[in-house]
């Protein structure tokens, strides 16, 4: 499918847009047919960019799974979340109906949220809109910022370039960080949960998340060494609390106090009240990066230039290099 769809949209700008009169943009569709928490959070900077450029716009999203609803529930400009079936051949009629519905509703701007997504490119191609960003209007990477390839920023750079081409001017502001837009009541509830989960609520808290999917999950031996060093260096001055995954497992065998919830906004609110979060690359790491807490991501498999947490004092550790002592020094510099 990627090979079949790789050329879709390449001639769109030159054939359909170049030299035409600029159209007002108010109805927008983002095609990001994915169900992963991290991938939903990674398009929050794009939505913030669109709202900043077009404050009165209404944004529809095409996604998969139900995680998009809690992620975007506080984004007032998000008008409609359209959920594709996770298994299209089991619900083929519904799947095709959504695909062809984009030809009926008229949009001003349609964005393929991931240029590597075959279904996203097809949806963008089928859509009824004048302006379509497929992710193919690229300059040479050197003409962009050094973090052009970051998954949260790439879409924003491409959107800015496209808007510049159609006469909307150049935006050079820093790209927004991931943001869940937690409410005040959610943050207060998160503080209450955190205070009840730690031994000493007068001390600040370091949160760890020891689980990850597939080969991104560190072994129990690795986490045991890391946790022992963390406890030795910071245990007297900080609470150390483990955020448990939905699977309710622990790579440190529940040696630390723990917090468990299946509500991603509640988890985020607890993280937001901590001093620092440490966890492997994955959805919960991106969730932490979408709060005000300092986030340190652990990387060994996926490329850091695409997925590292950014903003605030956020940073990452490449666990293929350095020692545990080096990791503790970096964490200390963030506290």
């Amino acid at each position: 499918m990627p090979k079949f769809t790789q050329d879709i949209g390449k001639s769109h700008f030159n054939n359909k847009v170049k030299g035409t009169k600029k159209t007002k943009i108010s109805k927008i569709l983002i095609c990001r047919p994915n169900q992963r928490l991290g991938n939903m959070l990674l398009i929050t900077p794009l939505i913030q960019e669109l709202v900043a450029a077009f404050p009165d716009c209404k944004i529809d999203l095409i996604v998969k799974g139900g995680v998009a609803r809690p992620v975007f529930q506080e984004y007032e400009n998000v008008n409609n979340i359209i959920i594709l079936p996770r298994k299209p051949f089991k619900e083929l009629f519904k799947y095709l109906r959504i695909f062809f519905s984009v030809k009926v509703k008229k949009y001003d701007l349609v964005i393929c949220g991931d240029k590597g997504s075959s279904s996203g490119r097809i949806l963008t191609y089928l859509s009824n809109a004048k302006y379509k960003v497929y992710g193919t209007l690229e300059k040479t990477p050197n003409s962009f910022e050094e973090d052009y390839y970051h998954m949260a920023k790439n879409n924003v750079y491409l959107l800015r370039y496209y808007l510049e081409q159609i006469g909307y001017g150049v935006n050079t502001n820093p790209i927004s960080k991931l943001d869940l837009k937690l409410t005040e009541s959610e943050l207060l509830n998160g503080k209450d949960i955190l205070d009840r989960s730690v031994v000493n609520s007068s001390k600040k808290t370091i949160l760890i998340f020891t689980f990850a999917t597939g080969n991104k999950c560190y072994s129990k031996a690795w986490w045991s060494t890391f946790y022992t060093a963390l406890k030795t260096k910071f245990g007297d001055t900080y609470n150390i609390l483990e955020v448990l995954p939905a699977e309710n497992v622990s790579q440190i065998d529940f040696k630390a106090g723990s917090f468990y919830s299946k509500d991603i906004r509640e988890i985020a609110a607890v993280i937001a009240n901590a001093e620092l979060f440490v966890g492997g690359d994955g959805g919960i790491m991106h969730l932490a990066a979408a709060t005000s807490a300092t986030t340190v991501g652990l990387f060994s498999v996926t490329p850091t230039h695409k997925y590292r947490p950014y903003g605030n004092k956020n940073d990452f550790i490449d666990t293929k290099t350095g020692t545990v002592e080096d990791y503790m020094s970096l964490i200390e510099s963030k506290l």
Side-chain angles (χ1 to χ4, degrees), residues 240-267:
I240 299 175
L241 185 72
E242 182 178 11
V243 179
L244 297 174
E247 294 81 357
N248 199 19
V249 296
S250 168
Q251 293 298 89
I252 58 170
D253 294 322
F254 303 96
K255 291 175 184 175
S258 59
F259 159 72
Y260 179 82
S261 175
K262 289 187 176 181
D263 184 330
I264 64 168
R265 296 191 69 86
E266 185 174 75
I267 296 169

Side-chain angles (χ1 to χ4, degrees), residues 232-246:
T232 300
K233 190 169 185 67
F234 303 109
D236 291 337
T237 50
Y238 290 88
N239 298 304
I240 299 175
L241 185 72
E242 182 178 11
V243 179
L244 297 174

Side-chain angles (χ1 to χ4, degrees), residues 207-220:
L207 295 175
I208 58 174
F209 185 77
T210 66
F211 188 71
T213 56
N215 58 359
K216 292 191 289 186
C217 188
Y218 292 87
S219 68
K220 285 191 173 185

Side-chain angles (χ1 to χ4, degrees), residues 5 14 45 47 59 78 91 93 125 178 188 200 240 271 285 316:
T5 59
N14 289 332
I47 293 177
I59 302 171
V78 172
E91 298 180 76
F93 178 75
Y125 176 77
L178 278 60
L188 288 172
N200 186 350
I240 299 175
I271 295 173
M285 183 203 74
F316 70 92

Side-chain angles (χ1 to χ4, degrees), residues 121-135:
R121 295 180 74 84
I122 293 171
L123 283 162
T124 304
Y125 176 77
L126 291 173
S127 64
N128 181 11
K130 177 179 180 180
Y131 299 137
K132 300 181 182 183
V133 181
Y134 289 91

Side-chain angles (χ1 to χ4, degrees), residues 79-119:
N79 183 54
N80 192 24
I81 297 176
I82 305 161
I83 300 176
L84 282 169
R86 294 181 70 167
K87 296 182 178 180
F89 289 105
K90 286 193 174 183
E91 298 180 76
L92 188 59
F93 178 75
K94 181 180 179 182
Y95 195 83
L96 293 175
R97 180 166 55 83
I98 292 173
F99 259 73
F100 289 103
S101 69
V102 298
K103 288 190 70 69
V104 177
K105 184 171 180 179
K106 182 168 175 51
Y107 292 98
D108 303 309
L109 171 65
V110 178
I111 301 170
C112 176
D114 177 9
K115 64 183 179 181
S117 168
S118 301
S119 52

